[in-house]
Amino acid sequence: MNNKALPEVKTAEKTGPSNQNRVNKKCRQLIYLYQGKFNGLMMDPLAFIAGTKILNRNICMFRDQDRTYYHGRIDNEMTDIQATLNWQLGHKNALFAHTDELYCGGTSNGAYAAILCGHYLKADAVYAFSPQTVIDPSRIIAGISIPRAHLDLCDVLANSNGKTRFNIYYCEDNEVDRAHAEHISHCPNVSLHPVAGDSHNILATEGGKAVLPDLFPSFK
C-alpha cells in the first residue's frame, strides 16, 4: 500500500473547546458527524442522533458555516483542512482516549468531508448521504485553498488506507447524486446503497429514513 499521498496527521498538543461533544466513557466507539450545506444533517441533528440510536455513544459534531468543503476555518483551532485533521486526531487521543473504534458520517458536502476525513483518520467506516465527490473549482470561495487531490475523491480513495469501509447512500433517480456516487464506485472498499426516490435529501424519503436505525454498529 502506498501512503505517499496521505497528508501527515499529527497529534494536537491540546484540544479546542467544543459544545458539540457527547462523552460516554463506557462506550468504545467515537462518531464524528459533519453537517451539510445548511448546517444540518438533512434533518435536525438531534433527530439524526435519535434516528440512528447513537445517543449513548461518544459523538463530536462539526459545522462548516462558510461552506468551504471543510477546507476553511471551522473555529479558532481548525483553520484549514490540515489543522482540522490534526485537531480531530488530537481530540480522539485526548477527550476520547477510551475509544478504539471511529466512525464518520455526514450529508451532502458534509458527506464529502466524512469521506475525506474518514480516509485520512483511518476510520473503521464512513456513512455518506448524497455526497459530492467532485468539487467544481468555480464554486470554491475566494481565498480558500483546496489541494488539487481533494477536488476529486477518486484521487484520495485510490490510495487506500487499507481499513476504512465507505458506505454511500443516495436516491437512485437523482441523476446528479447518482453520478457522484458512481464516480467513486470503483475505489477500494466503497459500497453503494441506492434507495428509491429522486431527492437530494435522501433522509426525507422513506428508504432513507429506513436505513437510520441500523446504520451504525451496535453499542460496544
Side-chain angles (χ1 to χ4, degrees), residues 40-157:
L41 292 167
M42 293 185 170
M43 58 172 61
D44 183 275
L46 292 179
F48 182 91
I49 289 172
T52 50
K53 301 179 180 180
I54 58 174
L55 191 63
N56 59 350
R57 316 297 174 86
N58 299 284
I59 303 171
C60 188
M61 194 177 304
F62 302 92
R63 182 173 62 183
D64 179 13
Q65 297 188 74
D66 295 331
R67 305 175 188 175
T68 65
Y69 294 90
Y70 285 80
H71 283 76
R73 188 183 190 88
I74 305 303
D75 71 6
N76 289 338
E77 295 198 38
M78 291 179 276
T79 54
D80 56 31
I81 187 61
Q82 187 64 67
T84 296
L85 288 168
N86 291 344
W87 189 93
Q88 289 175 333
L89 182 61
H91 202 53
K92 180 181 185 301
N93 291 343
L95 184 60
F96 299 109
H98 59 285
T99 64
D100 56 18
E101 293 183 8
L102 174 63
Y103 301 95
C104 297
T107 57
S108 193
N109 65 331
Y112 162 91
I115 295 171
L116 184 73
C117 294
H119 170 74
Y120 287 131
L121 296 174
K122 298 184 178 180
D124 291 272
V126 167
Y127 305 94
F129 292 90
S130 304
Q132 298 171 49
T133 59
V134 179
I135 299 176
D136 180 353
S138 67
R139 299 182 64 182
I140 298 174
I141 297 175
I144 299 299
S145 177
I146 297 183
R148 182 179 296 274
H150 292 181
L151 295 175
D152 187 337
L153 286 180
C154 274
D155 294 336
V156 175
L157 300 183

